[in-house]
Amino acid sequence: MSKRARLGCMVALLCGLLLAVSACGGGSSGGGTEGGSAEGTPAKPSEVSGHLTVWDVFYKLFPEYTKAVKPLDEAFEKKFPNVTVEHVAQGFEQYPALVQAAFTAREGPDVMMMLPSYSGVLNYTAGLEELNGKITPEMKEQLSYWYTMTPGYEEEGPHYGVPIGSTEFIFYYNKKLFKKAGLPTTFEPKTWDEVREAGEKLKAAGIQPFVGGDKEGYEDQWWWMLGWPTVNTKQQSIELGEGEIPFTSEEFAKAWGPEEMMEKAGLLQKSRFTTPFFTEGYEQFSEGKGGMILGGSTTTAYWGEFNKALGEENVGMFYSPGAEYVTAGPEFGWSIPKFAPNKAASWAYIEFMASKPAMELLYEKGGLLPNRKDVKLPADAPRQAKEVVELYENNETFDDVAHLIPNTVAAQLSKEAPEYFQGRISMEDMQKSLQEKFEKEKK
Amino acid sequence: MSSSPETHALGGPALDRRGPTARIRLRRAVGRFTPWLLLAPAAALLVWLLAYPLGDAVHLSFTNWDGFSAPKSIGLDNFTELAHDKHFKEALLHNLIIVASLPIWIAIPYFIAWGLHTKVWGWRFFRFAFFLPAVFSPVVIGVYYGMVLKPDGPLNGLLRAIGLGGLAHEWLNQPGLTLGVVIAIIIWSTFGVGVLIFLSALANLDEELVEAAHVDGASRWQIQRHVVFWQLLPVIEFWAIIIVIASFTAFFPLIYTLTQGGPGFSTYTADYDLYQEAFAGGNMGYASAIGVVLLIVIGLVAGLTVALLRWRRRLA
Amino acid sequence: MSTDAARLAGPRFRQAGKARRIGRLGGALALWLILATIALSTLYPLFFLVATALRTTQDYRLSPAGIPHELTLDNIHLAFSEVEIGKLALNSLMVVVPAVIIVTVFACLAAYALVHFRFPLRRSALVVVVALMALPPAVVLIPIFKVVLEAGLLNNRLGLILVYSALNLPFSIFLMASFMRSVPDELLNAARIDGAGPLRTLWSVVIPLVRPGLLTLVTLNFLFMWNEFLYALVILQKETNRTIMVGIAQFQSHWEKNLGVVSAGLLLSMIPPLLIFLFFQRDLARGLTSGAVK
């Protein structure tokens, strides 16, 4: 045992050395890479062949992303002529059941799409291939958000997926309506009170301050996770996920502050609890029916569509005022299930999808923001895209807190929060029941 | 079907050489086994794909299983935890509320069948129309009612238009109400089958008995209660059994497509909870324990129904 | 309301004063209106689906429940080209038709044995059948999945065919047994004296007599299997053999914004069960009762 451990250390050291050497060549700035976490070598097209089944939940769900899938797969097949790809669209709602069934059966796709952290990949580490032996140092260095694919949220450690894309949640505002209400068209609130005041002015001008939809309870969850970094730290979000901070704590309750403030001021729609966000909720913003909305920060959700409807110059964005850090993460990760028969081909696919040309194509066709250092947005990219990239590059970023708690607890949260905001249960009720669920899950 | 070659082979010409006594003996032997042979294909399928899995579910309920590694035996832990699981208890309560609504499931098709039995104008058409929802899939019903029951949807619009605006509700967002709405939708989608059954039963009614009662000066209500009801009792029992089954099996798909258990947990049923635990939470062992408790409840309800029917019959 | 209807509907022997006749007429009218209202509620979904499938999304948004103005066939086209509803329906048929055949044959044999033969444990067998009927499919989903897996039938249509057959067997046996009870034992005895074997008797004496019941069974099983979703989702995970309800549930989230396409898909998915229903409607009415009365 100890002999083996020592050997492991040696290998790790050696790899670390190797990595350091290769990193020097690239002139990197990417923090201390000590462990041997990336030791792969690029796949050779001539050595890889076979048929690949890829399970994808975004394919055919998000129109923009869907446009990128075929070109990407074709580009891959061109580079790896001996491999054919079968890209299967799976239903978003049914995906957890399918994935669970596949792992139990030890039979399924060769490549699986996984959502970051505990919203996906970290729930299935027992069934997923650890990829460190395959990840090349170059890939490791170039991509960001590795921690969302790693238990313990460290950049180093076992990676169970390769992060793709860059996104999170953000507030949008309609500049035309802001102008109409006598508000500045460059809105950069420093406190939540400023947001509230803007909302009140909109309301006074006869404009619905916030639109959206909370039928599924997602919207409440987003408010909570955007409230979190304004009252808590990144470390505290990890501690909540690990049970060191209970759900019954002040830290948890405080993060609801911003939404409570807006609700109390009557800035949120009464009808939101019966309005589904993804169909009707956000369309209201496109239709110019509301001054502000909380939504995803990339084109898969929604500035792409807002820009089309309202005009690029009329869509503004702001992040949680006074946040200690900015929540950001990948759109998804590509993972290989342990049962995949042809892991060389699976990996070739993932490696290609994480490469520079693929990520450029992904932005060009699908509008997904890149999470690769060497991929820059084209000069003619919309202002909003550049703003988001800047926001994530210039601030300390970390995954959002909802991704750090078990997904069943997050699901329960989005069931209970609407009940709380409709006055049917108290904050204490919600906290207690979430804590119970959390403890049950951790058993 | 698979039993047929055997039976034929045994009675086939190849056996004739053995002479009559042997043949008769064989026939008798075959005769004794005939019912078993006829049952064999169904029994094999049921044991393999229903009874054995059921036993397995009971076994899994005593384990902790995440679906990846081998199940770990943990004794009664799942059940003690279930006893403290407030959402599960709530879900089970909803199942019981559904069961308690069964008299309505019987009464509605019963009385509608009476209405049709008078051969009102267009009764055939009504019969067809009433059965139609049974053809709709839960997905269709879910999408359709999701649209109709919106706060600004057609139903509330209709209520407001006819001056009953006070009755307009957020049908799918009121904890006390939504379960009732779901039950109503299930009744709506099954009553046509009941109407069909009762209607044909009424057609076979012994009119002479009814006439006799009338001559005796019985009021229409008395006839209804003392003559017709008792004649229809076997049919009512038949329908009761069907809807007891439906009350445990028909709700899952609709809840899945229409309410997802919401608002809050107010339309969670035990089998929906089970599905969530197993496939969203990956707690297969715990989910199996939910299944076992649900089975016990079903057993009790079914037993009670049968006992009740027997008791009624004895009264008759 | 229903009590009134029942009273009005009672057996029809009456002599009449004029006032009474008017009262009865008014009552009949009220009854008719009630029935018409209920019928409206069951027919409207069909109208809604047809209307929504045939109109543009903009038109739908103007008055979701009302009469369409801007008609289009685009939604139907999209349902075929993008959702591949035709392929999905074919996949479903390839599972449902064999399963309906298996379940009907097995149920007939078993019910025949349970009703017309005397043998030990007969009553217990009947009780087991009734008990298995009330089993919620979700309870055995995991262990059935395991069995299918161990048999190597995952992602194989045969796996789903057998599972559907098993899930519907208890109810089918129960129903078939109810139908067969109406066949008098004397007829069977006569056939036996004529030298017919048990299978021959079943085929040429019993089956013709329970024909409406048999068609009822076929219809109900077809409806159930066609509309089933959960088992189809986990057992057939590949896109190439995906069944129609799984496909619809999936494209529902993809096309949510375009309710026209969703409606077109839903409408098309209803055609086979509707046809079966229309075709067997008459037998259904007779079949269900012949089972219930005895």
Side-chain angles (χ1 to χ4, degrees):
Chain A
M1 165 94 194
S2 69
K3 216 177 198 177
R4 205 180 261 187
R6 222 175 298 150
L7 196 77
C9 274
M10 291 273 283
V11 172
L13 237 135
L14 213 78
C15 291
L17 214 73
L18 225 88
L19 203 76
V21 171
S22 71
C24 276
S28 89
S29 57
T33 39
E34 296 143 11
S37 74
E39 45 205 62
T41 47
K44 291 191 188 72
S46 55
E47 289 166 11
V48 186
S49 64
H51 181 78
L52 274 185
T53 307
V54 180
W55 277 7
D56 189 330
V57 264
F58 286 1
Y59 181 36
K60 292 186 185 169
L61 178 63
F62 294 120
E64 300 280 331
Y65 170 76
T66 302
K67 284 181 213 153
V69 168
K70 263 218 179 93
L72 278 168
D73 284 351
E74 278 164 11
F76 169 75
E77 282 171 337
K78 202 170 157 199
K79 190 171 169 197
F80 291 83
N82 302 326
V83 186
T84 51
V85 178
E86 181 190 350
H87 210 104
V88 182
Q90 299 288 15
F92 193 81
E93 308 280 330
Q94 300 94 40
Y95 198 56
L98 266 174
V99 168
Q100 188 70 50
F103 281 127
T104 307
R106 293 186 173 79
E107 194 182 320
D110 303 277
V111 178
M112 272 179 173
M113 178 178 279
M114 281 285 161
L115 294 182
S117 305
Y118 276 105
S119 61
V121 61
L122 296 188
N123 295 303
Y124 304 109
T125 49
L128 292 173
E129 186 80 356
E130 194 208 289
L131 299 174
N132 299 47
K134 299 189 167 67
I135 296 164
T136 60
E138 187 260 359
M139 179 196 267
K140 173 76 193 253
E141 157 61 25
Q142 283 292 338
L143 298 183
S144 36
Y145 309 129
W146 285 106
Y147 62 89
T148 63
M149 302 286 145
T150 315
Y153 318 110
E154 299 285 341
E155 280 294 309
E156 300 306 320
H159 303 313
Y160 291 96
V162 172
I164 303 284
S166 184
T167 187
E168 251 305 316
F169 287 85
I170 203 160
F171 290 95
Y172 295 89
Y173 61 99
N174 182 328
K175 294 190 175 189
K176 245 189 201 162
L177 295 179
F178 263 53
K179 200 170 174 188
K180 210 168 134 195
L183 285 159
T185 48
T186 32
F187 184 54
E188 285 166 357
K190 298 280 172 292
T191 63
W192 286 110
D193 282 310
E194 280 178 49
V195 179
R196 193 201 69 226
E197 281 157 19
E200 281 164 346
K201 272 199 183 152
L202 285 165
K203 201 176 172 187
I207 297 161
Q208 173 60 41
F210 281 96
V211 286
D214 194 34
K215 185 166 179 254
E216 313 90 341
Y218 299 147
E219 199 178 62
D220 285 333
Q221 193 175 312
W222 302 337
W223 272 100
W224 174 67
M225 63 202 212
L226 283 194
W228 185 273
T230 63
V231 286
N232 296 313
T233 61
K234 177 176 137 177
Q235 188 53 32
Q236 281 169 313
S237 71
I238 297 178
E239 284 166 12
L240 182 79
E242 284 171 355
E244 285 151 26
I245 296 178
F247 282 80
T248 47
S249 64
E250 189 55 26
E251 282 88 345
F252 172 81
K254 267 192 312 196
W256 291 102
E259 186 178 6
E260 282 166 345
M261 179 195 279
M262 306 308 155
E263 178 77 56
K264 227 174 258 164
L267 306 181
L268 304 176
Q269 284 170 302
K270 285 239 154 44
S271 60
R272 68 189 181 117
F273 300 108
T274 51
T275 309
F277 185 87
F278 285 101
T279 46
E280 292 156 45
Y282 83 87
E283 295 228 321
Q284 297 181 71
F285 190 79
S286 301
E287 288 160 5
K289 286 181 181 160
M292 291 179 268
I293 192 169
L294 197 175
S297 65
T298 69
T299 178
T300 55
Y302 305 106
W303 54 254
E305 304 198 25
F306 292 163
N307 280 7
K308 256 183 262 161
L310 300 168
E312 191 184 318
E313 67 286 0
N314 291 320
V315 179
M317 305 163 110
F318 65 90
Y319 190 69
S320 305
E324 291 224 9
Y325 65 96
V326 171
T327 54
E331 294 270 0
F332 57 83
W334 288 121
S335 299
I336 305 177
K338 275 187 183 151
F339 54 70
N342 187 358
K343 295 201 180 73
S346 306
W347 178 251
Y349 184 80
I350 296 178
E351 193 185 33
F352 178 79
M353 291 303 148
S355 68
K356 185 166 187 259
M359 218 162 264
E360 281 167 351
L361 201 60
L362 188 62
Y363 173 78
E364 186 196 321
K365 302 280 182 195
L368 263 69
L369 299 180
N371 64 328
R372 250 190 99 95
K373 295 200 179 86
D374 59 3
V375 177
K376 297 290 172 216
L377 292 182
D380 62 345
R383 191 178 41 76
Q384 288 86 349
K386 290 176 188 156
E387 260 178 52
V388 173
V389 168
E390 252 167 54
L391 177 74
Y392 294 165
E393 270 176 4
N394 300 342
N395 290 281
E396 193 193 356
T397 58
F398 195 60
D399 205 359
D400 77 54
V401 60
H403 287 170
L404 307 188
I405 59 178
N407 58 344
T408 49
V409 179
Q412 182 157 329
L413 186 134
S414 55
K415 278 199 175 305
E416 306 231 19
E419 297 296 285
Y420 167 65
F421 280 102
Q422 292 177 90
R424 291 170 188 158
I425 56 172
S426 67
M427 176 57 81
E428 290 73 35
D429 292 338
M430 172 160 78
Q431 288 181 293
K432 229 182 102 213
S433 119
L434 286 172
Q435 183 61 24
E436 276 168 22
K437 181 80 179 171
F438 181 84
E439 281 164 17
K440 204 181 103 196
E441 285 303 316
K442 280 284 157 169
K443 252 187 207 170
Chain B
M1 203 176 177
S2 64
S3 74
S4 71
E6 294 170 58
T7 10
H8 276 294
L10 287 171
L15 298 167
D16 284 356
R17 259 171 276 145
R18 294 194 195 179
T21 36
R23 218 169 76 194
I24 287 170
R25 214 182 307 139
L26 235 161
R27 257 228 183 142
R28 274 199 199 128
V30 172
R32 209 175 319 134
F33 286 112
T34 307
W36 301 106
L37 292 174
L38 291 171
L39 275 175
L45 200 59
L46 285 180
V47 168
W48 181 44
L49 276 169
L50 221 50
Y52 168 72
L54 203 57
D56 198 23
V58 176
H59 161 73
L60 284 174
S61 71
F62 297 105
T63 68
N64 187 358
W65 187 39
D66 58 3
F68 296 106
S69 36
K72 272 191 291 285
S73 190
I74 53 164
L76 287 169
D77 282 11
N78 284 331
F79 293 94
T80 45
E81 206 166 303
L82 265 183
H84 300 289
D85 185 335
K86 97 180 168 196
H87 292 308
F88 168 70
K89 283 189 274 186
E90 216 179 310
L92 208 54
L93 177 71
H94 297 148
N95 276 95
L96 293 176
I97 293 175
I98 291 169
V99 169
S101 71
L102 290 186
I104 311 175
W105 295 40
I106 298 179
I108 288 181
Y110 185 84
F111 288 120
I112 290 181
W114 268 107
L116 289 187
H117 184 56
T118 58
K119 302 277 186 299
V120 291
W121 187 74
W123 69 277
R124 270 173 216 281
F125 173 74
F126 283 138
R127 193 182 63 179
F128 163 77
F130 292 167
F131 193 85
L132 207 52
V135 181
F136 299 153
S137 70
V139 180
V140 169
I141 295 179
V143 169
Y144 170 72
Y145 274 104
M147 189 282 311
V148 168
L149 297 177
K150 269 185 196 163
D152 56 351
L155 179 62
N156 282 343
L158 185 73
L159 286 172
R160 289 191 190 105
I162 57 173
L164 294 173
L167 289 179
H169 282 284
E170 288 189 8
W171 301 102
L172 297 175
N173 184 33
Q174 269 169 275
L177 182 69
T178 305
L179 183 63
V181 170
V182 172
I183 292 175
I185 293 174
I186 295 277
I187 293 179
W188 173 84
S189 67
T190 50
F191 82 97
V193 183
V195 169
L196 215 58
I197 291 176
F198 286 128
L199 202 55
S200 317
L202 285 172
N204 297 335
L205 203 64
D206 190 346
E207 289 279 346
E208 270 174 37
L209 264 179
V210 177
E211 287 290 343
H214 184 69
V215 171
D216 288 349
S219 79
R220 221 180 304 149
W221 183 237
Q222 279 170 326
I223 294 174
Q224 165 68 246
R225 251 190 68 193
H226 297 292
V227 182
V228 178
F229 180 78
W230 291 109
Q231 276 204 46
L232 286 189
L233 200 60
V235 185
I236 294 175
E237 283 175 12
F238 178 79
W239 177 237
I241 293 173
I242 291 185
I243 58 181
V244 167
I245 298 161
S247 73
F248 285 105
T249 56
F251 279 77
F252 180 89
L254 186 65
I255 288 169
Y256 189 95
T257 54
L258 186 64
T259 68
Q260 291 85 45
F265 290 83
S266 62
T267 54
Y268 254 63
T269 53
D271 50 345
Y272 189 73
D273 194 29
L274 183 157
Y275 175 79
Q276 290 295 337
E277 283 290 346
F279 287 103
N283 306 318
M284 303 283 197
Y286 192 70
S288 300
I290 294 179
V292 169
V293 175
L294 181 59
L295 283 179
I296 294 171
V297 171
I298 293 173
L300 289 178
V301 170
L304 208 69
T305 316
V306 171
L308 208 71
L309 293 176
R310 284 226 178 109
W311 175 69
R312 289 295 268 172
R313 198 171 278 184
R314 215 175 310 144
L315 278 189
Chain C
M1 140 222 147
S2 17
T3 350
D4 271 355
R7 262 184 225 169
L8 280 163
R12 336 139 224 155
F13 21 75
R14 45 238 86 232
Q15 4 41 15
K18 203 172 187 184
R20 243 179 142 188
R21 200 178 304 152
I22 290 172
R24 184 147 300 135
L25 213 68
L29 191 69
L31 170 71
W32 194 86
L33 283 176
I34 289 166
L35 292 174
T37 313
I38 301 174
L40 208 64
S41 85
T42 60
L43 286 169
Y44 182 70
L46 205 57
F47 165 77
F48 171 76
L49 281 183
V50 174
T52 313
L54 293 180
R55 67 207 287 198
T56 60
T57 308
Q58 294 88 314
D59 188 43
Y60 169 79
R61 292 183 149 226
L62 288 179
S63 76
I67 311 247
H69 298 286
E70 267 180 64
L71 292 178
T72 171
L73 283 176
D74 287 357
N75 296 325
I76 306 271
H77 274 298
L78 278 172
F80 274 108
S81 64
E82 293 297 312
V83 189
E84 299 186 281
I85 203 87
K87 201 182 94 191
L88 290 171
L90 203 66
N91 283 340
S92 268
L93 283 177
M94 282 160 84
V95 170
V96 171
V97 171
V100 166
I101 293 173
I102 290 179
V103 87
T104 310
V105 171
F106 283 19
C108 278
L109 293 175
Y112 179 51
L114 288 172
V115 172
H116 292 296
F117 290 83
R118 300 286 168 271
F119 58 97
L121 295 178
R122 189 178 72 101
R123 286 206 71 85
S124 326
L126 264 169
V127 169
V128 168
V129 165
V130 173
L132 285 176
M133 264 194 318
L135 189 68
V139 171
V140 275
L141 178 58
I142 305 157
I144 284 187
F145 178 75
K146 274 175 71 189
V147 170
V148 170
L149 180 68
E150 280 156 20
L153 293 175
L154 194 71
N155 286 321
N156 186 332
R157 289 198 179 96
L158 184 62
L160 193 60
I161 290 171
L162 291 175
V163 168
Y164 278 175
S165 307
L167 284 174
N168 291 290
L169 249 182
F171 178 72
S172 305
I173 295 176
F174 166 79
L175 212 62
M176 227 38 233
S178 319
F179 299 142
M180 284 191 184
R181 274 191 206 108
S182 65
V183 179
D185 275 336
E186 297 86 67
L187 272 180
L188 299 188
N189 285 335
R192 195 163 31 194
I193 288 162
D194 286 349
L199 281 177
R200 214 191 141 72
T201 316
L202 173 65
W203 179 248
S204 49
V205 179
V206 181
I207 296 291
L209 284 171
V210 296
R211 208 189 78 106
L214 202 71
L215 294 178
T216 304
L217 195 67
V218 168
T219 312
L220 293 180
N221 277 324
F222 186 92
L223 286 181
F224 172 85
M225 293 174 190
W226 184 265
N227 290 337
E228 206 282 335
F229 166 77
L230 203 51
Y231 280 85
L233 173 74
V234 296
I235 291 178
L236 298 182
Q237 303 173 349
K238 297 212 162 131
E239 210 168 27
T240 43
N241 50 19
R242 191 174 276 166
T243 64
I244 193 154
M245 283 307 141
V246 176
I248 280 186
Q250 193 208 358
F251 90 77
Q252 199 191 326
S253 57
H254 293 167
W255 289 88
E256 235 166 357
K257 278 198 298 190
N258 196 337
L259 205 60
V261 180
V262 173
S263 302
L266 290 174
L267 189 69
L268 293 168
S269 80
M270 279 173 55
I271 290 177
L274 263 180
L275 283 180
I276 294 253
F277 168 58
L278 285 175
F279 208 65
F280 291 148
Q281 194 200 350
R282 202 158 267 193
D283 293 295
L284 209 58
R286 249 184 301 154
L288 276 172
T289 338
S290 70
V293 173
K294 286 283 152 177

